[in-house]
Structures are given as structure tokens and as C-alpha cells.
Amino acid sequence: MPTLFEVRRDLFSALLSAGIVEHEARREVELIVEHVTGWKLARQLVNDGKPLAPDWVDSIESIKEQRLRRKPLQYLLGETGFMGLTLACAEGVLIPRPDTETLVTVALSYLSGVREPKVFDVGSGSGAVAVSLLKLRSDARIWAADISALAVALTLKNARRQGVEDRLHLMCGDWLECRPPEPVNMLVSNPPYIPSSQRPGLPPEVADWEPEAALFGPDEDGLGFFRQLSAEGKGLVLPGGVLAVEVGDGQAQAVCEIFQANGWLQREIHTDLNKLPRVVSAFRATSPF
């Protein structure tokens, strides 16, 4: 049987040949081996020269074959990290990304002075935003809506894993019809915003595997969801409440203008860890529109 070193070497070489960049390929080798064996990197290195059990070799080979078709690693491993939590991932549901942690951070900052905050998460996907907020704010209540039954089921699974399901109210359907029973302190969303014209330039992991409905925004510029959210969301937020959304590259200023046109105040752009504009927030006026 091959040694762990040989398996790791061959896996790394195969990932490189599939077009995965070197630093990502190294990290993926580590994660795949850990997923199969349960060994963190330090233990992998200690056991590098030892033969690997046949069933482990077969499992790694199976994952490799699927990864070479550029199926996202998160789908293959069934989980990913987000805001320090381990969240379940499933094919057919948008994969949580580090960029979206900015949205959670911004939401937490606005809610810091609010007791028992109420939040409406539009397009909950895997539940990354809602579950993280509930985990980090033990007094919060969140209503989360998604049009995908797969996404709603995954959100519930992640909420149960983190022990926050009792404060989460899930709704499956169009967010315009699935509304909280009362106005909320914050409306938060990571909506579909990629213009469909950009599809040819997306990595195959995204374009070929992730759900189109969670990726591509309505209207030619991809900003249709922001227009709808800005116009229809006012009645869902308490006076003085906040609307916060994740935006795509180069969209922040346009989204600010959309919010301004619909009467949202104190519009602000927040950057992610790469110093790129990633979140736009705004306040509802304290008096009725």
C-alpha cells in the first residue's frame, strides 16, 4: 500500500494539474486527508512514511476524482468554517464564504446597543449569517426566509448543530410573502448579485456547481434584488432600524444610490478583510416614509 507521503504527493500533483493554484492545493490536501483519517496536519507529518489503510486510500481517491471535475471541496467534505463555527454544506445550496463574515460583523456592530434584537435574514442559504448571529447574540431572535427547500433544511441543520434553533423562525418561500409577524431591528441579506454576463469568467466551482438562483441577480446589472429589497423592505424594519447587504465587486456605490432613492438614510460602505467594498448599510428614517 502507498505511504501517506505518496498519497499526499499524488493528490497535490493531481490538484495542480486540474488548475488549482499551489497554495490552495496544499491546503486542500491537508483538509482531504484530515477528513478521511481524522488527523490534523501535525499528525499527518508524523505518519508520512507509514502505509495508509486501503479504505482510506480509496476514500481519498474518490474525493480526488470528484475534485478534479472541480466540484467544490466544501461539497465533498460536507462542511466549511465560518465565523469560527463549522457549518454543514450541501450541494444545491450556496457555500458560505469568508467575504460574508463582513456582513455578520457589520450586523453585530449595529445591534450591539439593542436589547433582544429582532432580525430578518432574506435568502438564508446555509444559514451562515442567521446561525452566526444567533450564536454570537444569545438574546437575538431571527426570522430567515429562502425560496429553496434545500437551503431551509440546511439552515435548520446548522441551527440545531449550534444549539440555536429555538430562537430561529424558518420560512420557505418568497421573502415578500414570508414575512416576520412584527417589524424587526435589522433586515440583512446576502442576495444574488452577480450579473449573468459575468458567468463565463467565474471559476468552474461556482459556475458549474453552485445554484444559479443564489448567484445571479435580477436585471442586466445584477442589482435587481437590491432594488426590490430597498423598496419593499422599509415596511419590515422598525423606525431607526438598519438594512445591511453584501454586494459584489464594483457595486457598492450603485447600491448606495438605490438605497438613497428609496429614502434610506446614513448609507455606509464597509470593506472586507481585503479592503474591498463588501457591505452596504443604511438606516430607516425615525418617522414614517
Side-chain angles (χ1 to χ4, degrees):
M1 293 303 299
T3 64
L4 176 56
F5 171 80
E6 292 168 334
V7 170
R8 284 163 41 88
R9 179 196 61 196
D10 293 348
L11 177 57
F12 177 67
S13 177
L15 294 176
L16 288 179
S17 68
I20 298 169
V21 297
E22 183 174 343
H23 73 278
E24 291 181 359
R26 292 189 186 280
R27 177 60 174 160
E28 290 195 10
V29 168
E30 175 188 341
L31 292 174
I32 291 169
V33 173
E34 179 183 337
H35 176 73
V36 172
T37 65
W39 296 345
K40 298 287 187 181
L41 181 59
R43 191 172 179 188
Q44 292 177 32
L45 296 176
V46 168
N47 289 280
D48 233 10
K50 298 179 181 178
L52 208 57
D55 56 335
W56 284 353
V57 174
D58 291 343
S59 295
I60 291 172
E61 186 67 22
S62 175
I63 293 174
K64 181 182 77 173
E65 290 176 359
Q66 296 179 77
R67 188 66 185 99
L68 295 183
R69 293 190 285 115
R70 301 302 288 269
K71 187 173 184 177
L73 183 65
Q74 296 91 333
Y75 288 162
L76 295 171
L77 303 186
E79 62 184 28
T80 192
F82 186 85
M83 292 296 296
L85 307 176
T86 298
L87 299 180
C89 294
E91 193 169 343
V93 181
L94 189 72
I95 297 168
R97 289 172 168 77
D99 290 345
T100 306
E101 293 185 356
T102 305
L103 181 60
V104 176
T105 301
V106 169
L108 288 170
S109 68
Y110 280 124
L111 296 174
S112 62
V114 181
R115 292 184 59 189
E116 299 182 350
K118 301 183 293 290
V119 179
F120 185 21
D121 180 14
V122 175
S124 60
S126 66
V129 172
V131 171
S132 297
L133 288 174
L134 289 169
K135 191 72 174 178
L136 295 167
R137 279 297 302 265
S138 60
D139 62 337
R141 285 189 295 149
I142 294 183
W143 287 261
D146 202 291
I147 201 167
S148 164
L150 285 174
V152 171
L154 188 59
T155 294
L156 179 58
K157 180 178 182 178
N158 279 318
R160 285 174 172 165
R161 277 191 174 186
Q162 301 299 330
V164 298
E165 72 275 15
D166 59 321
R167 292 179 288 118
L168 176 64
H169 310 275
L170 278 169
M171 301 171 287
C172 185
D174 190 312
W175 71 277
L176 291 170
E177 300 173 0
C178 301
R179 298 179 174 222
E182 56 187 309
V184 296
N185 302 103
M186 172 172 279
L187 181 58
V188 65
S189 182
N190 175 21
Y193 53 67
I194 302 174
S196 57
S197 61
Q198 293 184 8
R199 178 168 189 155
L202 294 175
E205 287 87 349
V206 177
D208 297 342
W209 291 96
E210 295 199 72
E212 291 187 7
L215 294 172
F216 301 106
D219 298 347
E220 186 175 348
D221 57 5
L223 302 178
F225 204 100
F226 297 113
R227 295 186 176 96
Q228 187 183 53
L229 199 63
S230 177
E232 302 293 337
K234 289 186 294 185
L236 302 176
V237 180
L238 289 164
V242 179
L243 168 61
V245 296
E246 180 175 317
V247 300
D249 294 343
Q251 293 180 333
Q253 189 56 47
V255 172
C256 280
E257 292 170 4
I258 291 170
F259 286 3
Q260 181 178 18
N262 282 285
W264 294 89
L265 307 178
Q266 299 180 47
R267 298 159 300 280
E268 187 173 355
I269 296 172
H270 310 264
T271 57
D272 60 21
L273 292 176
N274 295 315
K275 305 303 180 184
L276 297 174
R278 187 58 58 199
V279 171
V280 172
S281 63
F283 287 85
R284 180 185 166 180
T286 53
S287 60
F289 291 154

